[in-house]
Amino acid sequence: DTGVSQDPRHKITKRGQNVTFRCDPISEHNRLYWYRQTLGQGPEFLTYFQNEAQLEKSRLLSDRFSAERPKGSFSTLEIQRTEQGDSAMYLCASSPQSANTGELFFGEGSRLTVL
Amino acid sequence: KNEVEQSPQNLTAQEGEFITINCSYSVGISALHWLQQHPGGGIVSLFMLSSGKKKHGRLIATINIQEKHSSLHITASHPRDSAVYICAVRSGTDKLIFGTGTRLQVFP
């Protein structure tokens, strides 16, 4: 399978614990995006990378959230000291370099439930 | 007011009907995406448009840049078309701004 893969698909954790999600994009895609989606809503932008550089972060991304893409390939999204409001689907997408012609390819998402 | 508005929010149809979903946006854009999301979360890109019209099978997407409006049409709808259809725009930087989606149910 050469699509975007995310791991884990589901994570249940207790409030206050740290969680980390991983995204493996399509190998030749330079751009990688993280989005968050709550029930009944459209996805909300969190952050995106071009290669290893983090180019933009949403104000939704509080200090408890950090994302990395150390070698310009896979990316991790870490949430520290989770809160119940962090419960959501975390979606990763990748695209070719050109912003105006790059179709997006999404992973299946990582669903987080904070108890 | 959301920067990307979709209508209707929910749509039911009988198999075979012609379906239209609308998307209006209030920001300058470089491209507009139509996406399909099935239960369980997986999102598939249907179209990316910056002008005019695109067709793929029974799906047609149009965009009017001057009016800041796009439509997604499904001809001869089928129960397997049941999903949430999401409009998203690229604006300014490379992030996407998403609408809240239109939930479509097609009954046999």
Side-chain angles (χ1 to χ4, degrees), chain A residues 35-77:
Chain A
Y35 297 94
R36 181 174 68 186
Q37 187 178 27
T38 53
L39 199 62
Q41 300 297 314
E44 296 174 296
F45 170 78
L46 292 179
T47 188
Y48 85 95
F49 294 84
Q50 179 168 318
N51 300 314
E52 66 276 10
Q54 188 173 19
L55 297 187
E56 187 172 348
K57 287 173 59 172
S58 166
R59 63 180 183 277
L60 295 174
L61 220 62
S62 75
D63 291 345
R64 298 184 296 105
F65 288 71
S66 62
E68 293 183 341
R69 194 182 182 197
K71 297 181 180 178
S73 56
F74 74 91
S75 176
T76 58
L77 176 68

Side-chain angles (χ1 to χ4, degrees), chain A residues 98-115:
Chain A
S98 172
N100 292 334
T101 61
E103 187 177 341
L104 277 180
F105 294 82
F106 284 83
E108 293 291 315
S110 293
R111 184 173 296 282
L112 173 65
T113 301
V114 182
L115 303 176

